[in-house]
């Protein structure tokens, strides 16, 4: 299969609204239900022979043996356990074999295009947003329109699964907010409270440093991780609409607005862990769990990176407003789920499996297999095991006016993976040359996005 072509500027304007940014009211109208799961695994060596794909499927597809690519390495923790739990439940229910191909998250994302061009697994974990729609336009993932509707799945999730041609190519499993996490026991011990304003956050960070605690855990070895900081600063300083326009190439990366984001970030870097380029997000999470760092801006999957005994001692708050006229009611809340590869060995079996993966039964199976810090997409899934973080996540998403997917999901894959990630890491190495960073991104964005 061909590599995804550079983004056609006409394509950006034709994307459904749900792909550009989820409307939280329609999302919440039928989506807040159950324990949730996150996709897992990587891609090298996925699939085996070159047997041609079968056609058909959807609601009438017949269950069969299926290959399942997940973006978490085997034995890596709860995220892998959730995926394996769903695979096992389906295999038992249907009397079929589900072969799990588990690969670490970073390798999975970095290898996805090559993976889809080769002999991919029938079903694989992926994300809603532009990244899904881009693969659909390139003909690398299968049309799942005959899988929809799915009982318990709202229209908003169907919209988030829809590409520019109006067809569905994705089945959601869960979603989760990004926020600032901390250990309440550490805050209580030091007399700290959640900051509601930037002045309060600045005072908190200063006090933390005075007590020899690094205010923010930070990791940039995982190239995508710093994007979360860029996203929140851009939405706080320039607003949600500007942020989404930037991801589509309708705003310039070397504009005064974007430079202001980096200038603000530069003032915050001294409050972050040093040597972040050599640190994984799990290692940063461990630093927070040990009390070496006071806070960590990440998704709720941070739970998977802290010891079991610390998981009950976690809370979070949304990053405060930086501009009173913009406020603090936008956030990243990515939707995770599954696709069927166009090059699947058995498309019919893949469609039967993916429809089940969207069910409440699948969400419950995954939730029972591993701790679940996410919110299930299917409204019929059980909430019995929801912990405090999940309940608060529901509340935070309810209160958000606008929801982005995440920078590397909302924009062109080539731009995100080969340009922005490198530029953000270059900025972290040398935050004094912002003009060089923003000019470099804009020049390459103009070439990639057209």
């Amino acid at each position: 299969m061909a590599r995804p072509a550079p983004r056609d500027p006409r394509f950006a304007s034709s994307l459904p609204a749900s792909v550009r940014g989820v409307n939280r009211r329609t999302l919440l109208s039928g989506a807040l239900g159950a324990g949730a799961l996150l996709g897992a695994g990587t891609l090298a060596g996925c699939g085996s022979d070159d047997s041609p794909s079968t056609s058909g499927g959807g609601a009438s597809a017949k269950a069969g043996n299926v290959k399942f690519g997940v973006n978490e390495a085997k034995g890596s923790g709860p995220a892998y356990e959730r995926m394996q739990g769903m695979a096992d439940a389906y295999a038992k229910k249907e009397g079929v074999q589900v072969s799990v191909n588990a690969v670490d998250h970073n390798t999975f994302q970095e290898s996805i295009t090559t993976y889809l061009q080769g002999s991919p697994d029938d079903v694989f974990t992926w994300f809603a947003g532009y990244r899904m729609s881009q693969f659909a336009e390139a003909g690398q993932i299968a049309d799942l329109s005959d899988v929809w509707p799915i009982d318990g799945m709202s229209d908003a999730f169907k919209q988030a699964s829809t590409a520019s041609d109006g067809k569905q190519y994705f089945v959601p499993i869960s979603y989760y907010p990004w926020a600032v996490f901390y250990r309440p026991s550490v805050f209580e011990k030091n007399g700290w409270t959640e900051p509601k304003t930037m002045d309060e956050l600045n005072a908190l960070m200063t006090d933390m440093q005075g007590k020899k605690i690094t205010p923010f855990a930070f990791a940039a070895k995982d190239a995508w991780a710093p994007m979360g900081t860029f996203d929140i600063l851009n939405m706080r300083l320039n607003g949600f609409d500007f942020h989404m326009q930037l991801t589509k190439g309708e705003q310039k990366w070397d504009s005064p607005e974007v430079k202001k984001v980096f200038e603000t970030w530069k003032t915050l870097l001294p409050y972050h862990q040093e040597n972040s380029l050599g640190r994984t997000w799990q290692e940063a999470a461990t630093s927070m769990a040990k009390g070496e760092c006071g806070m960590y801006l990440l998704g709720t999957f941070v739970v998977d990176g802290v010891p079991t005994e610390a998981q009950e001692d976690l809370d979070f708050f949304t990053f405060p407003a930086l501009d009173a006229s913009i406020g603090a009611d936008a956030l990243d809340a990515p939707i995770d789920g599954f696709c069927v590869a166009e090059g699947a060995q058995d498309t019919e079996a893949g469609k039967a499996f993916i429809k089940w993966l969207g069910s409440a039964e699948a969400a419950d199976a995954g939730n029972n297999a591993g701790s679940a810090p996410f919110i299930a997409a299917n409204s019929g899934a059980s909430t019995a095991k929801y912990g405090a973080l999940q309940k608060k996540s529901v509340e935070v998403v309810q209160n958000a006016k606008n929801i982005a997917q995440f920078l590397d999901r909302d924009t062109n894959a080539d731009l995100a993976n080969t340009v922005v990630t490198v530029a953000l890491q270059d900025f972290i190495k040398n935050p004094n040359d912002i003009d060089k960073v923003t000019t470099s991104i804009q020049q390459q964005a103009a070439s990639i996005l057209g």
Side-chain angles (χ1 to χ4, degrees), residues 18 64 105 190-191 199 207 253 257 332 420:
S18 57
H105 193 87
N190 289 279
D199 286 343
D207 195 35
W253 281 88
E257 290 87 351
D332 281 326
V420 176

Side-chain angles (χ1 to χ4, degrees), residues 321-382:
L322 296 175
D323 183 327
S325 66
I326 293 174
D329 55 7
L331 73 157
D332 281 326
I335 299 172
D336 293 320
F338 311 96
C339 296
V340 172
E342 182 62 30
Q345 184 175 353
D346 192 334
T347 302
E348 183 172 339
K351 286 188 174 184
F353 181 41
I354 203 171
K355 187 176 181 73
W356 182 82
L357 286 171
S359 69
E361 182 182 6
D364 292 345
N367 197 20
N368 291 332
S371 59
F374 310 105
I375 308 167
N378 194 298
S379 62
S382 173

Side-chain angles (χ1 to χ4, degrees), residues 10 22 48 84 99 109 126 130 148 196 209 220 253 259-260 274 280 283 313 320 326 329 339 362 375 377 436:
R10 295 170 299 175
V22 178
S48 53
Q84 185 66 60
S99 302
Q109 290 191 219
W126 199 235
Y130 178 74
W148 289 85
K196 304 299 183 184
Q209 283 189 329
W253 281 88
K259 289 181 181 179
K260 185 177 181 180
E274 297 179 346
T280 66
E283 291 168 336
D313 185 27
I326 293 174
D329 55 7
C339 296
I375 308 167
K436 181 179 178 181

Side-chain angles (χ1 to χ4, degrees), residues 194-226:
E194 293 183 359
K196 304 299 183 184
T197 66
M198 195 61 202
D199 286 343
E200 291 180 0
L201 179 59
N202 283 327
L204 175 60
M205 292 189 295
T206 299
D207 195 35
M208 285 181 174
Q209 283 189 329
K211 294 179 178 178
K212 308 301 181 184
I213 295 176
T214 301
F216 275 97
F218 192 52
K221 185 174 183 179
D222 308 292
W224 50 266

